[in-house]
Amino acid sequence: MKILVTGGLGFIGSHTVVELQNEGFEVLIIDNLSNSSEEVLKGIVAITGKMPVFEKLDLREKTSVQDFFKRHSDVAGIIHFAASKAVGESVENPLLYYENNINTLIYLLQELQQKPESHFIFSSSCTVYGQAETMPINENASVKPAMSPYGNTKQIGEEIITDVTKVSGINAILLRYFNPIGSHPSTEIGELPIGMPQNLVPFITQTGMGLRKELSIYGDDYPTSDGTCVRDYIHVVDLARAHVIALQRLVNKNNLEKIEIFNLGTGTGSSVLEVIKAFEKVSEQKLPYKIVHRREGDVVSAYANTEKANSVLGWKTQLTLEEGMASAWKWEQKIRGNN
């Protein structure tokens, strides 16, 4: 079965391509390389022994999308990762985010809805919940007004998909992830932020390598156990496996509704200081850091209730925070030529 993975050379996308190929799916990748590298293909081949079909294509160009589907009319489903995802940048340049995250989704769905039946997995985010009233967060928690244009694009994206599934042969699963970390145990692929990282763990590993003088922790006066923000850090390999399980659920017609939603996390919240301690343990070194002012838009705490994903989807995490930090550290050492 042919599956298109958009943004398939990115962090989560590349790990998902590996899991798909290992499960026997034929994978096509679209990526415009704005936040990834064609070198990632070598890592995918090194792990799986298979070269996926890759096309460098900008999904914002509607005619290019139409042409792709004319040439690959037998694509049975899409796992859609391709999107801009920096909260701060989205505040500064909202139109870029609406064009890149909404238009591209529409163009893909327009092609899929021409098929009598197709499958769609959407890369969504726990950001849709904002600061939830209760922890852990389950799928019935209210979707709050978005705190950034990025968060808004995820909410709008979910609404668009919901509307389209009602009037087409598309069956969809929305996966709301928490905070992906780590790299593949082979260290053939991992997180490769271009420019300034958007996530905590690359900042930690880059600081550990001496590329940054110290790590900034945004606030230590939150109402948490140690005053720092709490998040749910999920190993990227666990996250990638969830996409394959979700796709198989649709392919095997095990979905109970035309559109289903699952939170993907570990179910455990870890503070910024706890993540630093985990890094210090696996790297056997102290990490220099300083406390700075809170960052606007940061929620205090967000971690998943995983009961629905565990029982309905039949998926649960297998890898720990320390395993995630250890693999991220090995990856950082490899790409800096230090191992």
Side-chain angles (χ1 to χ4, degrees), residues 200 215-231 233 270-274 276 289-301:
L200 173 63
L215 178 75
S216 293
I217 297 176
Y218 296 100
D220 64 349
D221 57 351
Y222 286 97
T224 60
S225 59
D226 58 24
T228 62
C229 288
V230 168
R231 298 289 183 270
Y233 295 93
S270 302
S271 72
V272 175
L273 286 174
E274 285 171 334
I276 289 170
Y289 65 83
K290 65 177 177 183
I291 309 295
V292 297
H293 289 299
R294 288 186 182 194
R295 192 169 48 180
E296 186 155 355
D298 274 345
V299 298
V300 178
S301 180

PDB file of all heavy atoms in Angstrom, residues 200 215-231 233 270-274 276 289-301:
ATOM      1  N   LEU A 200      13.240  22.212  23.770  1.00  0.00           N
ATOM      2  CA  LEU A 200      14.159  22.226  24.908  1.00  0.00           C
ATOM      3  C   LEU A 200      15.356  21.300  24.711  1.00  0.00           C
ATOM      4  O   LEU A 200      16.502  21.695  24.972  1.00  0.00           O
ATOM      5  CB  LEU A 200      13.385  21.821  26.178  1.00  0.00           C
ATOM      6  CG  LEU A 200      14.229  21.620  27.439  1.00  0.00           C
ATOM      7  CD1 LEU A 200      14.906  22.920  27.863  1.00  0.00           C
ATOM      8  CD2 LEU A 200      13.361  21.059  28.574  1.00  0.00           C
ATOM      9  N   LEU A 215      22.213  27.252  29.231  1.00  0.00           N
ATOM     10  CA  LEU A 215      20.805  27.097  28.900  1.00  0.00           C
ATOM     11  C   LEU A 215      19.987  28.114  29.686  1.00  0.00           C
ATOM     12  O   LEU A 215      20.235  28.322  30.870  1.00  0.00           O
ATOM     13  CB  LEU A 215      20.351  25.676  29.277  1.00  0.00           C
ATOM     14  CG  LEU A 215      18.878  25.348  29.031  1.00  0.00           C
ATOM     15  CD1 LEU A 215      18.622  25.131  27.549  1.00  0.00           C
ATOM     16  CD2 LEU A 215      18.466  24.113  29.816  1.00  0.00           C
ATOM     17  N   SER A 216      19.029  28.743  29.041  1.00  0.00           N
ATOM     18  CA  SER A 216      18.117  29.658  29.739  1.00  0.00           C
ATOM     19  C   SER A 216      16.850  28.903  30.133  1.00  0.00           C
ATOM     20  O   SER A 216      16.220  28.263  29.282  1.00  0.00           O
ATOM     21  CB  SER A 216      17.735  30.836  28.841  1.00  0.00           C
ATOM     22  OG  SER A 216      18.862  31.646  28.589  1.00  0.00           O
ATOM     23  N   ILE A 217      16.503  28.981  31.408  1.00  0.00           N
ATOM     24  CA  ILE A 217      15.246  28.406  31.890  1.00  0.00           C
ATOM     25  C   ILE A 217      14.274  29.560  32.117  1.00  0.00           C
ATOM     26  O   ILE A 217      14.559  30.471  32.898  1.00  0.00           O
ATOM     27  CB  ILE A 217      15.455  27.613  33.195  1.00  0.00           C
ATOM     28  CG1 ILE A 217      16.394  26.427  32.941  1.00  0.00           C
ATOM     29  CG2 ILE A 217      14.120  27.148  33.767  1.00  0.00           C
ATOM     30  CD1 ILE A 217      16.728  25.640  34.199  1.00  0.00           C
ATOM     31  N   TYR A 218      13.138  29.504  31.425  1.00  0.00           N
ATOM     32  CA  TYR A 218      12.217  30.637  31.456  1.00  0.00           C
ATOM     33  C   TYR A 218      11.284  30.553  32.669  1.00  0.00           C
ATOM     34  O   TYR A 218      10.172  30.050  32.581  1.00  0.00           O
ATOM     35  CB  TYR A 218      11.410  30.686  30.154  1.00  0.00           C
ATOM     36  CG  TYR A 218      12.283  30.943  28.951  1.00  0.00           C
ATOM     37  CD1 TYR A 218      12.690  29.897  28.120  1.00  0.00           C
ATOM     38  CD2 TYR A 218      12.730  32.229  28.661  1.00  0.00           C
ATOM     39  CE1 TYR A 218      13.512  30.132  27.029  1.00  0.00           C
ATOM     40  CE2 TYR A 218      13.554  32.469  27.554  1.00  0.00           C
ATOM     41  CZ  TYR A 218      13.940  31.422  26.756  1.00  0.00           C
ATOM     42  OH  TYR A 218      14.759  31.643  25.674  1.00  0.00           O
ATOM     43  N   GLY A 219      11.765  31.051  33.792  1.00  0.00           N
ATOM     44  CA  GLY A 219      10.943  31.130  35.000  1.00  0.00           C
ATOM     45  C   GLY A 219      11.112  29.939  35.923  1.00  0.00           C
ATOM     46  O   GLY A 219      11.144  28.791  35.471  1.00  0.00           O
ATOM     47  N   ASP A 220      11.256  30.223  37.221  1.00  0.00           N
ATOM     48  CA  ASP A 220      11.300  29.159  38.227  1.00  0.00           C
ATOM     49  C   ASP A 220      10.315  29.450  39.361  1.00  0.00           C
ATOM     50  O   ASP A 220      10.479  28.983  40.485  1.00  0.00           O
ATOM     51  CB  ASP A 220      12.720  28.979  38.786  1.00  0.00           C
ATOM     52  CG  ASP A 220      13.217  30.204  39.551  1.00  0.00           C
ATOM     53  OD1 ASP A 220      12.553  31.266  39.485  1.00  0.00           O
ATOM     54  OD2 ASP A 220      14.258  30.098  40.217  1.00  0.00           O
ATOM     55  N   ASP A 221       9.266  30.224  39.000  1.00  0.00           N
ATOM     56  CA  ASP A 221       8.272  30.600  40.006  1.00  0.00           C
ATOM     57  C   ASP A 221       6.864  30.142  39.615  1.00  0.00           C
ATOM     58  O   ASP A 221       5.858  30.715  40.035  1.00  0.00           O
ATOM     59  CB  ASP A 221       8.285  32.122  40.216  1.00  0.00           C
ATOM     60  CG  ASP A 221       8.040  32.910  38.923  1.00  0.00           C
ATOM     61  OD1 ASP A 221       8.035  32.288  37.829  1.00  0.00           O
ATOM     62  OD2 ASP A 221       7.862  34.141  39.008  1.00  0.00           O
ATOM     63  N   TYR A 222       6.797  29.093  38.798  1.00  0.00           N
ATOM     64  CA  TYR A 222       5.501  28.520  38.440  1.00  0.00           C
ATOM     65  C   TYR A 222       4.989  27.638  39.586  1.00  0.00           C
ATOM     66  O   TYR A 222       5.795  27.108  40.365  1.00  0.00           O
ATOM     67  CB  TYR A 222       5.624  27.672  37.165  1.00  0.00           C
ATOM     68  CG  TYR A 222       5.769  28.490  35.899  1.00  0.00           C
ATOM     69  CD1 TYR A 222       7.024  28.742  35.343  1.00  0.00           C
ATOM     70  CD2 TYR A 222       4.650  29.003  35.248  1.00  0.00           C
ATOM     71  CE1 TYR A 222       7.159  29.489  34.178  1.00  0.00           C
ATOM     72  CE2 TYR A 222       4.772  29.750  34.085  1.00  0.00           C
ATOM     73  CZ  TYR A 222       6.024  29.990  33.554  1.00  0.00           C
ATOM     74  OH  TYR A 222       6.143  30.728  32.400  1.00  0.00           O
ATOM     75  N   PRO A 223       3.675  27.429  39.676  1.00  0.00           N
ATOM     76  CA  PRO A 223       3.130  26.563  40.727  1.00  0.00           C
ATOM     77  C   PRO A 223       3.316  25.075  40.410  1.00  0.00           C
ATOM     78  O   PRO A 223       2.369  24.326  40.179  1.00  0.00           O
ATOM     79  CB  PRO A 223       1.643  26.955  40.758  1.00  0.00           C
ATOM     80  CG  PRO A 223       1.354  27.460  39.389  1.00  0.00           C
ATOM     81  CD  PRO A 223       2.624  28.106  38.903  1.00  0.00           C
ATOM     82  N   THR A 224       4.594  24.657  40.345  1.00  0.00           N
ATOM     83  CA  THR A 224       4.945  23.249  40.109  1.00  0.00           C
ATOM     84  C   THR A 224       5.910  22.815  41.205  1.00  0.00           C
ATOM     85  O   THR A 224       6.316  23.630  42.036  1.00  0.00           O
ATOM     86  CB  THR A 224       5.623  23.075  38.731  1.00  0.00           C
ATOM     87  OG1 THR A 224       6.828  23.870  38.707  1.00  0.00           O
ATOM     88  CG2 THR A 224       4.722  23.529  37.590  1.00  0.00           C
ATOM     89  N   SER A 225       6.305  21.542  41.195  1.00  0.00           N
ATOM     90  CA  SER A 225       7.120  20.996  42.286  1.00  0.00           C
ATOM     91  C   SER A 225       8.441  21.745  42.469  1.00  0.00           C
ATOM     92  O   SER A 225       8.907  21.936  43.593  1.00  0.00           O
ATOM     93  CB  SER A 225       7.413  19.514  42.045  1.00  0.00           C
ATOM     94  OG  SER A 225       8.105  19.355  40.818  1.00  0.00           O
ATOM     95  N   ASP A 226       9.067  22.194  41.375  1.00  0.00           N
ATOM     96  CA  ASP A 226      10.345  22.915  41.506  1.00  0.00           C
ATOM     97  C   ASP A 226      10.291  24.313  40.884  1.00  0.00           C
ATOM     98  O   ASP A 226      11.318  24.964  40.712  1.00  0.00           O
ATOM     99  CB  ASP A 226      11.499  22.096  40.909  1.00  0.00           C
ATOM    100  CG  ASP A 226      11.301  21.746  39.433  1.00  0.00           C
ATOM    101  OD1 ASP A 226      10.552  22.485  38.746  1.00  0.00           O
ATOM    102  OD2 ASP A 226      11.860  20.746  38.975  1.00  0.00           O
ATOM    103  N   GLY A 227       9.081  24.757  40.500  1.00  0.00           N
ATOM    104  CA  GLY A 227       8.922  26.116  39.974  1.00  0.00           C
ATOM    105  C   GLY A 227       9.108  26.246  38.475  1.00  0.00           C
ATOM    106  O   GLY A 227       8.865  27.310  37.915  1.00  0.00           O
ATOM    107  N   THR A 228       9.552  25.157  37.798  1.00  0.00           N
ATOM    108  CA  THR A 228       9.728  25.232  36.340  1.00  0.00           C
ATOM    109  C   THR A 228       8.560  24.535  35.639  1.00  0.00           C
ATOM    110  O   THR A 228       7.874  23.696  36.226  1.00  0.00           O
ATOM    111  CB  THR A 228      11.070  24.603  35.895  1.00  0.00           C
ATOM    112  OG1 THR A 228      11.098  23.213  36.245  1.00  0.00           O
ATOM    113  CG2 THR A 228      12.242  25.319  36.560  1.00  0.00           C
ATOM    114  N   CYS A 229       8.357  24.901  34.375  1.00  0.00           N
ATOM    115  CA  CYS A 229       7.222  24.375  33.609  1.00  0.00           C
ATOM    116  C   CYS A 229       7.287  22.849  33.470  1.00  0.00           C
ATOM    117  O   CYS A 229       8.374  22.274  33.367  1.00  0.00           O
ATOM    118  CB  CYS A 229       7.203  24.988  32.211  1.00  0.00           C
ATOM    119  SG  CYS A 229       6.726  26.720  32.195  1.00  0.00           S
ATOM    120  N   VAL A 230       6.121  22.233  33.413  1.00  0.00           N
ATOM    121  CA  VAL A 230       6.019  20.773  33.307  1.00  0.00           C
ATOM    122  C   VAL A 230       5.441  20.405  31.941  1.00  0.00           C
ATOM    123  O   VAL A 230       4.440  20.977  31.500  1.00  0.00           O
ATOM    124  CB  VAL A 230       5.131  20.215  34.443  1.00  0.00           C
ATOM    125  CG1 VAL A 230       4.772  18.750  34.195  1.00  0.00           C
ATOM    126  CG2 VAL A 230       5.832  20.377  35.787  1.00  0.00           C
ATOM    127  N   ARG A 231       6.092  19.449  31.281  1.00  0.00           N
ATOM    128  CA  ARG A 231       5.628  18.947  29.984  1.00  0.00           C
ATOM    129  C   ARG A 231       5.735  17.418  29.960  1.00  0.00           C
ATOM    130  O   ARG A 231       6.389  16.815  30.796  1.00  0.00           O
ATOM    131  CB  ARG A 231       6.477  19.516  28.835  1.00  0.00           C
ATOM    132  CG  ARG A 231       6.429  21.030  28.695  1.00  0.00           C
ATOM    133  CD  ARG A 231       5.097  21.527  28.184  1.00  0.00           C
ATOM    134  NE  ARG A 231       5.099  22.976  27.998  1.00  0.00           N
ATOM    135  CZ  ARG A 231       4.764  23.857  28.928  1.00  0.00           C
ATOM    136  NH1 ARG A 231       4.413  23.425  30.146  1.00  0.00           N
ATOM    137  NH2 ARG A 231       4.776  25.148  28.677  1.00  0.00           N
ATOM    138  N   TYR A 233       7.231  14.517  27.915  1.00  0.00           N
ATOM    139  CA  TYR A 233       8.272  14.277  26.902  1.00  0.00           C
ATOM    140  C   TYR A 233       8.187  12.840  26.409  1.00  0.00           C
ATOM    141  O   TYR A 233       8.431  11.896  27.157  1.00  0.00           O
ATOM    142  CB  TYR A 233       9.661  14.578  27.490  1.00  0.00           C
ATOM    143  CG  TYR A 233       9.823  16.041  27.830  1.00  0.00           C
ATOM    144  CD1 TYR A 233       9.538  16.521  29.109  1.00  0.00           C
ATOM    145  CD2 TYR A 233      10.209  16.956  26.859  1.00  0.00           C
ATOM    146  CE1 TYR A 233       9.662  17.870  29.415  1.00  0.00           C
ATOM    147  CE2 TYR A 233      10.328  18.312  27.156  1.00  0.00           C
ATOM    148  CZ  TYR A 233      10.050  18.757  28.435  1.00  0.00           C
ATOM    149  OH  TYR A 233      10.154  20.097  28.729  1.00  0.00           O
ATOM    150  N   SER A 270       7.082  16.031  33.312  1.00  0.00           N
ATOM    151  CA  SER A 270       8.454  16.250  33.802  1.00  0.00           C
ATOM    152  C   SER A 270       8.760  17.743  33.719  1.00  0.00           C
ATOM    153  O   SER A 270       8.471  18.382  32.706  1.00  0.00           O
ATOM    154  CB  SER A 270       9.474  15.479  32.954  1.00  0.00           C
ATOM    155  OG  SER A 270       9.190  14.094  32.963  1.00  0.00           O
ATOM    156  N   SER A 271       9.356  18.273  34.777  1.00  0.00           N
ATOM    157  CA  SER A 271       9.708  19.695  34.781  1.00  0.00           C
ATOM    158  C   SER A 271      10.992  19.914  33.983  1.00  0.00           C
ATOM    159  O   SER A 271      11.743  18.968  33.712  1.00  0.00           O
ATOM    160  CB  SER A 271       9.904  20.186  36.212  1.00  0.00           C
ATOM    161  OG  SER A 271      11.110  19.654  36.740  1.00  0.00           O
ATOM    162  N   VAL A 272      11.236  21.174  33.649  1.00  0.00           N
ATOM    163  CA  VAL A 272      12.465  21.505  32.914  1.00  0.00           C
ATOM    164  C   VAL A 272      13.694  21.050  33.712  1.00  0.00           C
ATOM    165  O   VAL A 272      14.630  20.461  33.154  1.00  0.00           O
ATOM    166  CB  VAL A 272      12.544  23.024  32.632  1.00  0.00           C
ATOM    167  CG1 VAL A 272      13.871  23.392  31.985  1.00  0.00           C
ATOM    168  CG2 VAL A 272      11.388  23.460  31.735  1.00  0.00           C
ATOM    169  N   LEU A 273      13.672  21.274  35.011  1.00  0.00           N
ATOM    170  CA  LEU A 273      14.820  20.868  35.834  1.00  0.00           C
ATOM    171  C   LEU A 273      14.966  19.351  35.882  1.00  0.00           C
ATOM    172  O   LEU A 273      16.097  18.823  35.924  1.00  0.00           O
ATOM    173  CB  LEU A 273      14.695  21.436  37.251  1.00  0.00           C
ATOM    174  CG  LEU A 273      14.972  22.948  37.379  1.00  0.00           C
ATOM    175  CD1 LEU A 273      14.680  23.434  38.797  1.00  0.00           C
ATOM    176  CD2 LEU A 273      16.416  23.280  36.993  1.00  0.00           C
ATOM    177  N   GLU A 274      13.856  18.623  35.850  1.00  0.00           N
ATOM    178  CA  GLU A 274      13.938  17.150  35.825  1.00  0.00           C
ATOM    179  C   GLU A 274      14.537  16.656  34.511  1.00  0.00           C
ATOM    180  O   GLU A 274      15.295  15.678  34.493  1.00  0.00           O
ATOM    181  CB  GLU A 274      12.551  16.545  36.046  1.00  0.00           C
ATOM    182  CG  GLU A 274      12.088  16.631  37.493  1.00  0.00           C
ATOM    183  CD  GLU A 274      10.634  16.234  37.684  1.00  0.00           C
ATOM    184  OE1 GLU A 274       9.827  16.358  36.728  1.00  0.00           O
ATOM    185  OE2 GLU A 274      10.299  15.819  38.807  1.00  0.00           O
ATOM    186  N   ILE A 276      16.706  18.355  32.720  1.00  0.00           N
ATOM    187  CA  ILE A 276      18.141  18.661  32.839  1.00  0.00           C
ATOM    188  C   ILE A 276      18.845  17.600  33.685  1.00  0.00           C
ATOM    189  O   ILE A 276      19.930  17.124  33.330  1.00  0.00           O
ATOM    190  CB  ILE A 276      18.338  20.071  33.434  1.00  0.00           C
ATOM    191  CG1 ILE A 276      17.927  21.131  32.411  1.00  0.00           C
ATOM    192  CG2 ILE A 276      19.785  20.297  33.878  1.00  0.00           C
ATOM    193  CD1 ILE A 276      17.848  22.543  32.946  1.00  0.00           C
ATOM    194  N   TYR A 289      23.300  26.394  33.414  1.00  0.00           N
ATOM    195  CA  TYR A 289      22.024  27.035  33.083  1.00  0.00           C
ATOM    196  C   TYR A 289      21.789  28.237  33.988  1.00  0.00           C
ATOM    197  O   TYR A 289      22.418  28.388  35.031  1.00  0.00           O
ATOM    198  CB  TYR A 289      20.861  26.045  33.187  1.00  0.00           C
ATOM    199  CG  TYR A 289      20.574  25.506  34.564  1.00  0.00           C
ATOM    200  CD1 TYR A 289      19.803  26.223  35.486  1.00  0.00           C
ATOM    201  CD2 TYR A 289      21.056  24.252  34.949  1.00  0.00           C
ATOM    202  CE1 TYR A 289      19.528  25.720  36.748  1.00  0.00           C
ATOM    203  CE2 TYR A 289      20.796  23.738  36.213  1.00  0.00           C
ATOM    204  CZ  TYR A 289      20.030  24.472  37.106  1.00  0.00           C
ATOM    205  OH  TYR A 289      19.765  23.973  38.358  1.00  0.00           O
ATOM    206  N   LYS A 290      20.891  29.105  33.522  1.00  0.00           N
ATOM    207  CA  LYS A 290      20.515  30.273  34.337  1.00  0.00           C
ATOM    208  C   LYS A 290      19.001  30.440  34.259  1.00  0.00           C
ATOM    209  O   LYS A 290      18.371  30.041  33.274  1.00  0.00           O
ATOM    210  CB  LYS A 290      21.227  31.541  33.832  1.00  0.00           C
ATOM    211  CG  LYS A 290      20.802  31.953  32.427  1.00  0.00           C
ATOM    212  CD  LYS A 290      21.466  33.242  31.968  1.00  0.00           C
ATOM    213  CE  LYS A 290      21.068  33.563  30.530  1.00  0.00           C
ATOM    214  NZ  LYS A 290      21.703  34.737  29.995  1.00  0.00           N
ATOM    215  N   ILE A 291      18.447  31.010  35.320  1.00  0.00           N
ATOM    216  CA  ILE A 291      17.013  31.294  35.343  1.00  0.00           C
ATOM    217  C   ILE A 291      16.793  32.692  34.784  1.00  0.00           C
ATOM    218  O   ILE A 291      17.452  33.645  35.204  1.00  0.00           O
ATOM    219  CB  ILE A 291      16.452  31.223  36.782  1.00  0.00           C
ATOM    220  CG1 ILE A 291      16.857  29.909  37.468  1.00  0.00           C
ATOM    221  CG2 ILE A 291      14.941  31.423  36.780  1.00  0.00           C
ATOM    222  CD1 ILE A 291      16.278  28.671  36.862  1.00  0.00           C
ATOM    223  N   VAL A 292      15.895  32.811  33.803  1.00  0.00           N
ATOM    224  CA  VAL A 292      15.560  34.124  33.242  1.00  0.00           C
ATOM    225  C   VAL A 292      14.042  34.332  33.388  1.00  0.00           C
ATOM    226  O   VAL A 292      13.342  33.480  33.924  1.00  0.00           O
ATOM    227  CB  VAL A 292      16.002  34.236  31.763  1.00  0.00           C
ATOM    228  CG1 VAL A 292      17.511  34.107  31.636  1.00  0.00           C
ATOM    229  CG2 VAL A 292      15.309  33.176  30.904  1.00  0.00           C
ATOM    230  N   HIS A 293      13.573  35.483  32.904  1.00  0.00           N
ATOM    231  CA  HIS A 293      12.145  35.795  33.046  1.00  0.00           C
ATOM    232  C   HIS A 293      11.280  34.789  32.295  1.00  0.00           C
ATOM    233  O   HIS A 293      11.705  34.182  31.314  1.00  0.00           O
ATOM    234  CB  HIS A 293      11.857  37.201  32.503  1.00  0.00           C
ATOM    235  CG  HIS A 293      12.418  38.289  33.373  1.00  0.00           C
ATOM    236  ND1 HIS A 293      12.025  38.472  34.683  1.00  0.00           N
ATOM    237  CD2 HIS A 293      13.348  39.250  33.121  1.00  0.00           C
ATOM    238  CE1 HIS A 293      12.682  39.496  35.203  1.00  0.00           C
ATOM    239  NE2 HIS A 293      13.500  39.983  34.276  1.00  0.00           N
ATOM    240  N   ARG A 294      10.059  34.653  32.771  1.00  0.00           N
ATOM    241  CA  ARG A 294       9.081  33.810  32.086  1.00  0.00           C
ATOM    242  C   ARG A 294       8.929  34.240  30.622  1.00  0.00           C
ATOM    243  O   ARG A 294       9.155  35.395  30.293  1.00  0.00           O
ATOM    244  CB  ARG A 294       7.704  33.940  32.750  1.00  0.00           C
ATOM    245  CG  ARG A 294       7.585  33.286  34.108  1.00  0.00           C
ATOM    246  CD  ARG A 294       6.129  33.384  34.555  1.00  0.00           C
ATOM    247  NE  ARG A 294       5.906  32.823  35.882  1.00  0.00           N
ATOM    248  CZ  ARG A 294       4.701  32.557  36.367  1.00  0.00           C
ATOM    249  NH1 ARG A 294       3.620  32.825  35.633  1.00  0.00           N
ATOM    250  NH2 ARG A 294       4.560  32.050  37.581  1.00  0.00           N
ATOM    251  N   ARG A 295       8.547  33.294  29.802  1.00  0.00           N
ATOM    252  CA  ARG A 295       8.322  33.567  28.386  1.00  0.00           C
ATOM    253  C   ARG A 295       6.813  33.682  28.148  1.00  0.00           C
ATOM    254  O   ARG A 295       6.045  32.851  28.625  1.00  0.00           O
ATOM    255  CB  ARG A 295       8.893  32.400  27.573  1.00  0.00           C
ATOM    256  CG  ARG A 295       9.011  32.609  26.104  1.00  0.00           C
ATOM    257  CD  ARG A 295       9.835  31.501  25.485  1.00  0.00           C
ATOM    258  NE  ARG A 295       9.419  30.169  25.929  1.00  0.00           N
ATOM    259  CZ  ARG A 295       9.985  29.042  25.525  1.00  0.00           C
ATOM    260  NH1 ARG A 295      11.004  29.084  24.699  1.00  0.00           N
ATOM    261  NH2 ARG A 295       9.550  27.876  25.970  1.00  0.00           N
ATOM    262  N   GLU A 296       6.420  34.694  27.412  1.00  0.00           N
ATOM    263  CA  GLU A 296       4.991  34.885  27.172  1.00  0.00           C
ATOM    264  C   GLU A 296       4.399  33.704  26.416  1.00  0.00           C
ATOM    265  O   GLU A 296       5.009  33.182  25.482  1.00  0.00           O
ATOM    266  CB  GLU A 296       4.763  36.174  26.361  1.00  0.00           C
ATOM    267  CG  GLU A 296       3.312  36.504  26.213  1.00  0.00           C
ATOM    268  CD  GLU A 296       3.043  37.975  25.972  1.00  0.00           C
ATOM    269  OE1 GLU A 296       3.974  38.783  26.012  1.00  0.00           O
ATOM    270  OE2 GLU A 296       1.887  38.290  25.747  1.00  0.00           O
ATOM    271  N   GLY A 297       3.218  33.267  26.843  1.00  0.00           N
ATOM    272  CA  GLY A 297       2.523  32.185  26.134  1.00  0.00           C
ATOM    273  C   GLY A 297       2.816  30.799  26.665  1.00  0.00           C
ATOM    274  O   GLY A 297       2.170  29.834  26.241  1.00  0.00           O
ATOM    275  N   ASP A 298       3.793  30.653  27.564  1.00  0.00           N
ATOM    276  CA  ASP A 298       4.091  29.321  28.105  1.00  0.00           C
ATOM    277  C   ASP A 298       3.004  28.901  29.090  1.00  0.00           C
ATOM    278  O   ASP A 298       2.696  29.639  30.028  1.00  0.00           O
ATOM    279  CB  ASP A 298       5.449  29.322  28.836  1.00  0.00           C
ATOM    280  CG  ASP A 298       6.605  29.085  27.895  1.00  0.00           C
ATOM    281  OD1 ASP A 298       6.363  28.638  26.759  1.00  0.00           O
ATOM    282  OD2 ASP A 298       7.756  29.343  28.284  1.00  0.00           O
ATOM    283  N   VAL A 299       2.436  27.719  28.877  1.00  0.00           N
ATOM    284  CA  VAL A 299       1.496  27.191  29.861  1.00  0.00           C
ATOM    285  C   VAL A 299       2.294  26.593  31.011  1.00  0.00           C
ATOM    286  O   VAL A 299       3.460  26.204  30.844  1.00  0.00           O
ATOM    287  CB  VAL A 299       0.529  26.145  29.257  1.00  0.00           C
ATOM    288  CG1 VAL A 299      -0.328  26.768  28.179  1.00  0.00           C
ATOM    289  CG2 VAL A 299       1.267  24.936  28.727  1.00  0.00           C
ATOM    290  N   VAL A 300       1.675  26.526  32.183  1.00  0.00           N
ATOM    291  CA  VAL A 300       2.371  26.038  33.379  1.00  0.00           C
ATOM    292  C   VAL A 300       2.674  24.554  33.254  1.00  0.00           C
ATOM    293  O   VAL A 300       3.794  24.095  33.475  1.00  0.00           O
ATOM    294  CB  VAL A 300       1.495  26.279  34.639  1.00  0.00           C
ATOM    295  CG1 VAL A 300       2.189  25.742  35.892  1.00  0.00           C
ATOM    296  CG2 VAL A 300       1.172  27.752  34.789  1.00  0.00           C
ATOM    297  N   SER A 301       1.660  23.801  32.874  1.00  0.00           N
ATOM    298  CA  SER A 301       1.774  22.350  32.908  1.00  0.00           C
ATOM    299  C   SER A 301       0.924  21.736  31.804  1.00  0.00           C
ATOM    300  O   SER A 301      -0.171  22.209  31.523  1.00  0.00           O
ATOM    301  CB  SER A 301       1.284  21.861  34.279  1.00  0.00           C
ATOM    302  OG  SER A 301       1.382  20.474  34.371  1.00  0.00           O
TER     303      SER A 301
END
